[in-house]
Amino acid sequence: MGEDRVLTIPNLLSVVRIVLLPVFLWLVLVPEADVLALLVLVVSGVTDYLDGKLARRLNQTSKIGAILDPVADRLYILAVVVGLALRDIIPWWLAVMLPLRDVFLFSLVPFLRTRGYSSLPVHFLGKAATAGLLYAFPLLLLGDGSGTVADLADVFGWAFAIWGVGLYWWGGVLYAFQVRRLLATTERVPR
């Protein structure tokens, strides 16, 4: 594993996702160009899928990529929920619930560091939650229109959102239990 590599295709895709976030916010909030904003969300979702797939296939995994991908995911979720909440597409309680889980997990990092860890490995539940949310947001944006397609998108968008939020928090609770187990079974690292 080329752990110290920075310039890789997967890392470039993660950076593209991060760069597209202000573009999405501008599109959804200023001109309310929902079709273009939806296109940005689709491109972000595809690049999220491709960065991990290509990292493994091209043997381009790296330490920076292991950090950059989840950071891009968190920033994506934050930007999208804020944009959709400001447009009144989703309620503010939902826009607060998602970042609150990340704040909760971030509060566990000092405990991990006492055992020599800076993070825990990503598990399937967290990936499934993120995937559900990546489907939910474009559908909810599409569901803000009128007509049969918008009605169906709204229903499916909320289904993915409810499952995504549930899995997102369930994954957070599992991470907390992992931290608890690690603290109980691993020696403290000397400072």
Side-chain angles (χ1 to χ4, degrees):
M1 177 165 143
E3 294 191 3
D4 295 330
R5 289 186 292 184
V6 174
L7 297 175
T8 66
I9 293 169
N11 291 350
L12 177 64
L13 291 174
S14 292
V15 169
V16 165
R17 274 194 359 253
I18 292 169
V19 168
L20 286 176
L21 292 175
V23 174
F24 166 79
L25 284 172
W26 181 81
L27 287 169
V28 83
L29 296 175
V30 179
E32 294 189 7
D34 291 352
V35 173
L36 291 175
L38 187 61
L39 182 62
V40 168
L41 289 181
V42 169
V43 168
S44 294
V46 169
T47 58
D48 181 40
Y49 169 76
L50 286 176
D51 69 3
K53 188 93 165 153
L54 290 174
R56 289 182 295 279
R57 175 163 279 162
L58 301 175
N59 194 27
Q60 293 186 352
T61 56
S62 65
K63 285 182 183 178
I64 189 75
I67 295 168
L68 198 57
D69 180 52
V71 166
D73 288 344
R74 297 306 161 270
L75 289 174
Y76 170 90
I77 289 169
L78 179 64
V80 173
V81 298
V82 167
L84 296 182
L86 286 170
R87 280 273 305 275
D88 290 326
I89 294 172
I90 64 170
W92 277 101
W93 63 263
L94 178 60
V96 170
M97 251 181 110
L98 292 171
L100 194 59
R101 180 260 198 182
D102 293 325
V103 169
F104 167 66
L105 291 182
F106 187 69
S107 72
L108 299 176
V109 171
F111 299 104
L112 284 172
R113 291 207 171 133
T114 66
R115 300 309 193 260
Y117 292 88
S118 60
S119 65
L120 290 170
V122 175
H123 53 68
F124 177 75
L125 190 59
K127 288 180 181 254
T130 300
L133 294 172
L134 291 175
Y135 281 107
F137 298 138
L139 288 169
L140 290 172
L141 182 60
L142 186 61
D144 191 45
S146 59
T148 304
V149 172
D151 291 343
L152 286 171
D154 194 50
V155 168
F156 284 103
W158 277 109
F160 276 111
I162 291 165
W163 275 100
V165 169
L167 292 174
Y168 204 62
W169 270 95
W170 186 15
V173 169
L174 288 179
Y175 278 125
F177 279 115
Q178 284 179 305
V179 170
R180 183 177 168 265
R181 186 176 331 124
L182 184 70
L183 292 173
T185 61
T186 308
E187 293 288 322
R188 181 180 281 272
V189 174
R191 289 185 185 215

